[in-house]
Amino acid sequence: MAFRDVTNGFTPMSTAMRALDIGAGRSKGPGSAGRSTMAIGRKGGASQGLSLRKRDMTPTRNTNIVPNASMVGDRFLGVRMNEDEFDRANHLINHHMHGKKEDSLDTSHSAPNSPKKELTEGDRLKRMLRAKSSGNITDAKEDERILCYKKNLAPPPAVGYVNQAKVLYSVSGVINPASSVKKSIRNVSQTAIKVLDAPGLAKDLYSRHVDWGVHNWVAVAMTNDVYLWNTESGDIKNFFEDSPPMNEGAITGVKWSHDGKYLTLGYASGAVKIYDPNRPRTSTNVRELRTLRVGGGQRCAAMAWRKNGILTTGYKSGDIVNHDVRIHNHVVSAWGGEAGHSRDVTDLQWSADESMCASASADRTAKVWEERFVRSTDNSIIRNPSPLHTMDEHLGQVRCVQFCNFRDGILATGGGTGDGTVRLWDVKRNFQQLKEISICASGGVGGIVFNRAYSEMLTASDDGLLRICRFNASYKISHEIRASAEALMDCVASPNDEILTTDMEETLKVYRLFQVDKSTNILDRMQPRNVGFNVR
């Protein structure tokens, strides 16, 4: 049904015409608009002269006025029922506005003649628009008020609510208002998002059982076998396809190359094997590219890649050897001797700019080596150089080392059983110990991971706890997560800041501890790197 305006073409009836209708005795009230045409003469009689045509009836919804109306509308015609009421209201209002002494707009006929209190015009207007706070300021009834509101009755805000409008529209000279609104407490998940059983995982605190590549494939070493686990799809593959090499002993170290193309395995015999997971399998070598051996080398658990094809390995004897996998005579330098380590090398780590290499050892020391000692200019082998720094403050074996990825030149060293501390060192500017953080009183520290988005450090320890430490003036522990009932043997990070732990319960667990909003994420996050070298 289309909407139609019923007021178009309607002309109100004049006063003279209304008088004619009344005089003719045909008035039936406001609703009797339809009448027959009548003629009125010049002397008041019926004659040929002025004629009135029949008007259309004005629609109305009031069926009481037009009881038998066949058509109703939405037009309302006001009718003055009693002029005395309007005159009295006009009299009362005018007297108030001109300073008369009536104290209320009492419309009753028995209003008092004398006021109780003289009110000004402003007071009278306030009484028309009055507020109500803790107590009433007027004796007027609720239904007599035009507007009435109450103060301090809004619901209280939620705990921790921050009114950003105070910051966004502040006049205190805030340069970047959005950055000044910070969360006081960060929510950290206490449960693992993925759990995988790993029966056969060696219970060895000084072996490196897992590594997470840039392609989101995790390599897990279990005695003689290696399994590849895709954390996104959940696919699990047996790398050796049930025929692992048995003549080299157990696998003691696992390491992906920077671009994730090559997988390096260290063995108890001291051999280091480089594999290409994408290479077609052969019956004899099983995707093996080459084997690196050094004289007298035993048990290789620590390995670290450089971008230019240099592989640094640490052995049980305490020697550290740099291999150039692009050439036939792969040994280019050996760090050891009297200035080197005297016992097992437990961990190796190159800095982000590859200007320094840090090593941890069971001889209770950690050392920093310079990049210039990797290879000589005349292609001769560099042997037994002196380290740049030696850190011997730990009371037990040093199990792990890690360079900070958001503060240049900061190195963290984790003590083993009998120490249980993490020590922070400035190894680039003026060598000194910055902080000693007590982590585990009943055991050692098995892994250290730095997170750039929150400027935090994560530690995994023998008491089965993951601890998050905030990098600020106090370096206090902010969160503790119960990851296992047994000791945590290793802790590695993914390219997406997820954390993988291994424990003596033979399980792998993935935690999402550093998840941030995409709009505030770090733009220069680590991207897959292309090594661009050939293994020969």
Side-chain angles (χ1 to χ4, degrees):
M1 181 177 65
F3 176 78
R4 179 172 59 90
D5 188 358
V6 299
T7 62
N8 289 339
F10 172 72
T11 303
M13 185 170 54
S14 63
T15 305
M17 297 173 66
R18 189 186 304 114
L20 291 176
D21 289 338
I22 296 175
R26 299 178 181 272
S27 175
K28 295 181 180 181
S32 59
R35 302 175 180 83
S36 59
T37 306
M38 62 177 292
I40 301 177
R42 295 182 180 177
K43 295 183 179 180
S47 63
Q48 295 181 357
L50 179 64
S51 64
L52 298 176
R53 61 181 179 82
K54 183 180 180 178
R55 296 186 296 106
D56 294 334
M57 183 179 68
T58 301
T60 178
R61 289 183 178 180
N62 193 344
T63 57
N64 295 326
I65 299 177
V66 188
N68 299 324
S70 61
M71 175 181 176
V72 295
D74 59 353
R75 182 169 179 82
F76 172 76
L77 297 179
V79 178
R80 179 176 294 181
M81 303 300 296
N82 191 341
E83 294 184 358
D84 294 337
E85 297 294 335
F86 289 97
D87 294 338
R88 178 172 178 78
N90 183 44
H91 169 75
L92 292 175
I93 293 176
N94 289 334
H95 277 62
H96 278 291
M97 294 304 178
H98 290 85
K100 299 298 181 179
K101 296 185 179 182
E102 287 81 2
D103 60 339
S104 64
L105 295 178
D106 191 355
T107 58
S108 64
H109 294 280
S110 59
N113 296 325
S114 60
K116 297 180 181 179
K117 179 181 178 181
E118 183 176 357
L119 299 176
T120 62
E121 180 179 354
D123 294 333
R124 296 187 183 92
L125 294 178
K126 288 181 180 180
R127 295 185 66 131
M128 299 291 290
L129 178 63
R130 54 181 69 90
K132 181 179 181 180
S133 57
S134 58
N136 293 330
I137 61 175
T138 178
D139 55 354
K141 299 179 180 180
E142 293 289 342
D143 55 355
E144 296 177 357
R145 303 180 182 182
I146 298 176
L147 292 177
C148 178
Y149 63 93
K150 299 180 180 180
K151 297 174 62 176
N152 302 326
L153 294 182
V159 178
Y161 173 75
V162 178
N163 187 3
Q164 296 189 12
K166 290 184 178 180
V167 179
L168 295 176
Y169 302 101
S170 174
V171 295
S172 59
V174 179
I175 298 177
N176 190 359
S179 64
S180 62
V181 182
K182 296 189 180 295
K183 296 181 179 179
S184 58
I185 299 178
R186 188 166 73 83
N187 183 23
V188 176
S189 175
Q190 299 288 322
T191 58
I193 61 174
K194 298 176 184 176
V195 179
L196 184 69
D197 290 330
L201 189 67
K203 297 181 180 181
D204 185 0
L205 296 176
Y206 294 91
S207 294
R208 299 298 166 187
H209 308 89
V210 296
D211 193 32
W212 201 325
V214 296
H215 40 41
N216 271 333
W217 280 91
V218 176
V220 184
M222 292 186 290
T223 311
N224 298 106
D225 286 316
V226 174
Y227 289 87
L228 302 181
W229 175 32
N230 191 312
T231 57
E232 293 181 350
S233 62
D235 296 338
I236 300 176
K237 298 180 181 180
N238 189 338
F239 183 67
F240 292 118
E241 299 181 7
D242 299 328
S243 59
M246 305 296 294
N247 57 341
E248 303 292 352
I251 300 173
T252 55
V254 180
K255 195 68 176 180
W256 286 102
S257 60
H258 283 289
D259 62 350
K261 293 182 179 179
Y262 306 117
L263 179 63
T264 310
L265 302 180
Y267 288 86
S269 64
V272 177
K273 294 180 178 291
I274 302 175
Y275 297 91
D276 184 0
N278 297 318
R279 186 178 182 181
R281 178 179 180 274
T282 61
S283 58
T284 56
N285 294 327
V286 193
R287 305 184 180 92
E288 180 182 338
L289 298 179
R290 70 181 302 179
T291 300
L292 308 176
R293 300 181 187 274
V294 295
Q298 296 179 357
R299 179 185 166 85
C300 178
M303 296 174 289
W305 280 96
R306 293 187 68 196
K307 300 175 185 177
N308 59 353
I310 300 295
L311 175 63
T312 305
T313 57
Y315 298 89
K316 184 179 180 179
S317 60
D319 294 321
I320 300 174
V321 179
N322 290 290
H323 307 267
D324 191 342
V325 300
R326 300 168 296 180
I327 59 178
H328 177 70
N329 297 324
H330 52 84
V331 177
V332 293
S333 61
W335 303 337
E338 294 182 357
H341 294 293
S342 59
R343 293 184 60 185
D344 305 45
V345 178
T346 57
D347 197 11
L348 290 169
Q349 185 74 220
W350 281 97
S351 61
D353 57 0
E354 297 187 347
S355 61
M356 294 177 291
C357 180
S359 61
S361 175
D363 62 1
R364 301 184 179 183
T365 65
K367 297 181 182 292
V368 177
W369 308 85
E370 293 181 272
E371 183 272 338
R372 62 188 180 93
F373 293 139
V374 171
R375 64 189 310 167
S376 62
T377 57
D378 56 357
N379 295 327
S380 62
I381 299 176
I382 298 178
R383 297 185 183 275
N384 305 330
S386 297
L388 182 63
H389 303 295
T390 299
M391 294 150 281
D392 56 0
E393 281 78 2
H394 282 281
L395 303 178
Q397 300 173 344
V398 184
R399 283 170 55 181
C400 54
V401 290
Q402 185 72 37
F403 280 98
C404 182
N405 58 3
F406 54 85
R407 290 192 182 179
D408 187 34
I410 303 300
L411 175 67
T413 58
T417 305
D419 185 88
T421 63
V422 170
R423 298 174 186 263
L424 301 175
W425 310 84
D426 183 358
V427 296
K428 197 165 188 178
R429 288 162 290 273
N430 47 350
F431 176 73
Q432 60 177 340
Q433 179 177 316
L434 301 177
K435 189 70 177 180
E436 176 185 351
I437 307 173
S438 179
I439 299 296
C440 180
S442 60
V445 180
I448 301 174
V449 173
F450 285 97
N451 175 257
R452 173 181 286 181
Y454 287 103
S455 299
E456 292 174 337
M457 180 181 69
L458 176 73
T459 62
S461 51
D462 293 346
D463 56 2
L465 292 176
L466 293 172
R467 293 177 173 87
I468 298 178
C469 179
R470 183 76 176 175
F471 261 54
N472 49 25
S474 60
Y475 294 94
K476 289 185 178 180
I477 297 174
S478 60
H479 298 85
E480 288 186 350
I481 300 97
R482 171 58 65 181
S484 175
E486 300 290 339
L488 298 176
M489 297 184 292
D490 210 344
C491 177
V492 294
S494 75
N496 300 321
D497 287 333
E498 293 179 339
I499 303 299
L500 174 67
T501 63
T502 62
D503 54 41
M504 287 195 175
E505 292 181 320
E506 298 181 354
T507 58
L508 306 178
K509 296 180 181 179
V510 179
Y511 291 86
R512 190 169 292 161
L513 305 178
F514 304 112
Q515 186 177 14
V516 296
D517 189 359
K518 292 182 179 180
S519 62
T520 59
N521 204 351
I522 302 301
L523 299 180
D524 55 346
R525 183 174 301 279
M526 181 184 299
Q527 300 294 331
R529 301 183 178 93
N530 295 323
V531 176
F533 61 86
N534 297 321
V535 180
R536 298 177 183 176

